[in-house]
Amino acid sequence: MTARNAVLDFRLRRAASDADLPSIVEFYTATDADYGAWSRDFNMHFGYCELGMNPLDREGMLACMNAQVIGRLALRDDTPARVADLGCGTAAVARALVKRYPRARVSAVTIVPAQVLRGEALNARAGMDKSIEFVLRDFTDTGLSDNSLEAAYAVESSCHSAGKDKQRLLAEANRVLKPGGRLVIATASRKT
């Protein structure tokens, strides 16, 4: 076991009473390659269909969901921003964000080592490896500094946070966001 995996194993055991993190890691490790069949950009979420869109254009709807989330963050073109992707998958939304806001820096948080490996390769291929940093941690305990981010988002990952009120996820987002920072959560389901 590598040091990196030992640290992850410790964090997973510590948090296992709150959410079934080992099962989440196992599921997303086993299905990692499947998301390439779902989306050429490895989006790991459902799409957003607006009036006039072709509801059979999955890639277009996935890109539209990314744009909806990114737009609601209300970042500025002329200002650098630090952003967290809470439950990032392979960081497809983060890549869309950096493409839209090249001055942004994203901390992409996941508990799945396989997603980090694939995401790092995808980020390098897109020339975004210096703009997006992976954080291999639970999104309810990111290790990011207090009051350090302008924005954070969770796209179809909040369902993996324990509790009906998602209190630990919301508390962590509140802790890392600067005063006035924005949190956007997009989800198609709620796990209770």
Side-chain angles (χ1 to χ4, degrees), residues 43-191:
N43 283 291
M44 299 177 76
H45 56 76
F46 293 106
Y48 187 92
C49 188
E50 295 181 309
L51 188 61
M53 289 182 69
N54 178 350
L56 301 177
D57 177 10
R58 180 174 49 231
E59 206 67 46
M61 290 188 297
L62 295 169
C64 188
M65 174 61 86
N66 294 346
Q68 290 289 327
V69 169
I70 292 165
R72 283 172 171 76
L73 294 174
L75 301 176
R76 294 176 44 144
D77 289 322
D78 59 346
T79 307
R82 289 219 41 230
V83 180
D85 184 334
L86 304 171
C88 66
T90 61
V93 181
R95 286 188 295 279
L97 187 148
V98 170
K99 185 175 183 179
R100 169 64 184 89
Y101 294 102
R103 298 180 71 188
R105 297 297 172 259
V106 180
S107 295
V109 182
T110 181
I111 60 171
V112 184
Q115 291 177 340
V116 172
L117 294 174
R118 184 175 301 282
E120 286 175 341
L122 291 167
N123 292 347
R125 188 174 74 202
M128 297 180 182
D129 47 331
K130 292 186 179 19
S131 300
I132 302 168
E133 138 192 65
F134 278 93
V135 178
L136 188 60
R137 290 185 69 132
D138 181 339
F139 61 22
T140 65
D141 180 25
T142 64
L144 300 172
S145 298
D146 292 356
N147 303 315
S148 61
L149 306 173
E150 282 72 31
Y153 59 89
V155 178
E156 302 212 11
S157 58
S158 64
C159 62
H160 295 302
S161 183
K164 290 180 180 181
D165 61 3
K166 310 303 180 191
Q167 170 55 27
R168 288 187 60 205
L169 173 62
L170 296 174
E172 181 66 359
N174 186 58
R175 183 187 70 77
V176 299
L177 286 169
K178 292 178 180 178
R182 290 199 131 183
L183 171 64
V184 174
I185 296 176
T187 187
S189 63
R190 187 175 92 186
K191 183 178 176 181

Side-chain angles (χ1 to χ4, degrees), residues 5-67:
N5 287 342
V7 170
L8 176 64
D9 183 59
F10 169 75
R11 288 187 192 120
L12 292 178
R13 280 187 282 116
R14 188 185 74 194
S17 63
D18 296 327
D20 191 3
L21 299 183
S23 293
I24 295 167
V25 171
E26 182 181 345
F27 173 80
Y28 285 105
T29 300
T31 60
D32 175 65
D34 297 341
Y35 288 98
W38 176 253
S39 165
R40 69 176 171 265
D41 295 326
F42 276 82
N43 283 291
M44 299 177 76
H45 56 76
F46 293 106
Y48 187 92
C49 188
E50 295 181 309
L51 188 61
M53 289 182 69
N54 178 350
L56 301 177
D57 177 10
R58 180 174 49 231
E59 206 67 46
M61 290 188 297
L62 295 169
C64 188
M65 174 61 86
N66 294 346

